[in-house]
Amino acid sequence: MAGKKVLIVYAHQEPRSLNGSLKDVAVAELSQQGCTVTVSDLYAMDFEPRATGKDITGTLSNPGFFNYGVETHKAYEKRSLSSDIIEEQKKLQEADLVIFQFPLYWFSVPAVLKGWMDRVLCQGFAFDFPGSYDDGFLKAARPACSPRLGSTETSGTSCGPSSTARCTSVDLKSLPLRSVLVLKWHPKKKEREWWPPGRRG
């Protein structure tokens, strides 16, 4: 890993949480191995999760009917996306490894991370049509998913821990995580589920 560039996209409000601790351990360990580690702390950055017309700094291609996907695609081609999107895209382009560290909310990612995906991974940058599912543009970076699950391993459903584990595993492979981890990046993705002893986030 020495010499590699790592981007950690971190989505948790509390630095002392399990997610915060896992992020800190990753930074320390990867740095010790000789990696250059960058952290996008979405809450600390006050990252804007809403996909709006403010993401385009230039003239809209169709001012009479706003289509976010079309407009951001054209804005990417004209280099007229907002500065916060451009900065995150630059981090992704430079990364050899991308780690997503977050708590699981309703079997998905927190809203701020979903907004990061919606805004940063636009058409033209992360994918294009046709062939978006097979020919993503970010295959040079290897992704890793490290969700913190919202219950202990022995709780969750009346069917017991094995049912809970199957449920979370299935949902971690569905949208939006599947589209980000499988469709746009390297096929050799990594997923690691964290079952805490108590509910501390």
Side-chain angles (χ1 to χ4, degrees):
M1 290 292 293
K4 299 292 185 180
K5 292 186 177 181
V6 180
L7 171 63
I8 300 177
V9 184
Y10 169 67
H12 200 285
Q13 310 92 328
E14 176 52 64
R16 296 169 297 176
S17 65
L18 177 57
N19 275 277
S21 298
L22 292 171
K23 180 261 295 178
D24 291 343
V25 168
V27 171
E29 180 62 29
L30 290 167
S31 298
Q32 188 175 24
Q33 293 182 26
C35 298
T36 300
V37 183
T38 300
V39 178
S40 283
D41 186 339
L42 301 185
Y43 283 103
M45 294 160 56
D46 198 20
F47 185 82
E48 171 59 72
R50 296 173 298 176
T52 71
K54 294 180 180 179
D55 293 345
I56 297 97
T57 61
T59 304
L60 297 178
S61 63
N62 184 0
F65 185 87
F66 182 70
N67 183 312
Y68 185 81
V70 170
E71 295 295 347
T72 52
H73 182 201
K74 293 183 179 297
Y76 174 76
E77 293 178 333
K78 294 186 294 185
R79 301 182 183 276
S80 60
L81 289 168
S82 61
S83 59
D84 60 336
I85 293 177
I86 292 174
E87 181 64 26
E88 293 304 298
Q89 289 178 343
K90 181 181 178 182
K91 294 176 187 178
L92 283 170
Q93 288 174 324
E94 294 177 348
D96 301 296
L97 172 66
V98 181
I99 299 174
F100 293 95
Q101 183 64 60
F102 59 93
L104 204 65
Y105 288 175
W106 286 103
F107 301 104
S108 186
V109 297
V112 68
L113 180 52
K114 178 58 167 61
W116 182 95
M117 296 173 180
D118 292 341
R119 298 180 65 226
V120 175
L121 303 177
C122 67
Q123 184 179 355
F125 171 73
F127 68 97
D128 208 345
F129 299 112
S132 59
Y133 292 149
D134 300 316
D135 300 315
F137 297 157
L138 300 175
K139 292 182 179 179
R142 184 170 181 171
C145 181
S146 177
R148 186 280 194 197
L149 306 182
S151 63
T152 61
E153 191 167 8
T154 56
S155 66
T157 72
S158 59
C159 299
S162 60
S163 175
T164 305
R166 284 198 299 273
C167 180
T168 54
S169 296
V170 168
D171 283 282
L172 284 174
K173 294 176 176 62
S174 65
L175 295 173
L177 288 174
R178 180 176 175 79
S179 63
V180 173
L181 294 179
V182 181
L183 307 184
K184 295 180 176 64
W185 263 294
H186 195 288
K188 293 183 178 179
K189 61 184 175 62
K190 292 288 186 180
E191 293 177 359
R192 174 67 168 92
E193 300 172 1
W194 293 100
W195 294 98
R199 297 190 55 143
R200 290 194 58 191

